[in-house]
Amino acid sequence: MTAQVVQLIASLAAIFGLAWLAKRMGLGGDVRLRDEAEARALARAASCGFEPVDMVLDRAGIAALLRDEYGRIMLLRRHGVHFAARLLTSHEDARLDRNFLTISTGDRSFGAVTLDLGGCAQEWAVALRRLGGAT
């Protein structure tokens, strides 16, 4: 019985120690887009030659939509503790619900994301319609 109590205390101490270490290293934080400059830099890094001329950030900072001078639209979204990007080719997987725009890329690993775009949601839904249907 005593050995089990000692093992339990040692396990709890190890768990708390690892949690403290992870927090000290800044792991597992709540990653959000801070501003348009950060979204612009992430989009440039994700796709060589993509230069955003218009963008909208989700109100929670978990995603953004960016458009370049050629009309291409990039979806940037939080994926774990990083951000992932996809160039959208179709509006078929986009749904508008008042201030919310839900977009799925068809890539199962990327998943779907719902953006709270406020009054800009309708404008971006129209921009996505310009992409046309599935290619």
Side-chain angles (χ1 to χ4, degrees):
M1 179 80 166
T2 304
Q4 291 175 336
V5 172
V6 171
Q7 183 179 7
L8 176 65
I9 292 171
S11 295
L12 287 174
I15 290 169
F16 286 121
L18 288 172
W20 174 83
L21 183 62
K23 183 173 177 136
R24 181 119 166 114
M25 293 175 63
L27 301 175
D30 186 20
V31 180
R32 308 240 178 197
L33 289 169
R34 291 183 299 264
D35 54 25
E36 288 186 358
E38 181 181 18
R40 186 179 313 277
L42 289 167
R44 287 177 183 149
S47 179
C48 184
F50 189 89
E51 184 60 40
V53 295
D54 191 17
M55 74 180 72
V56 63
L57 300 179
D58 170 76
R59 289 182 174 181
I62 61 168
L65 285 172
L66 304 97
R67 181 176 32 230
D68 72 359
E69 64 182 315
Y70 305 108
R72 297 182 301 173
I73 297 178
M74 178 182 285
L75 172 60
L76 184 67
R77 71 163 294 183
R78 184 172 66 181
H79 194 73
V81 295
H82 301 286
F83 282 90
R86 296 290 188 274
L87 284 173
L88 302 177
T89 58
S90 166
H91 72 274
E92 286 190 357
D93 293 323
R95 285 188 332 270
L96 175 65
D97 182 18
R98 296 191 177 141
N99 295 338
F100 298 93
L101 188 59
T102 301
I103 301 171
S104 176
T105 63
D107 179 354
R108 290 177 53 190
S109 65
F110 193 76
V113 64
T114 299
L115 296 90
D116 181 357
L117 303 179
C120 297
Q122 198 166 27
E123 172 190 338
W124 281 89
V126 169
L128 286 172
R129 286 187 140 278
R130 291 187 195 120
L131 294 176
T135 56

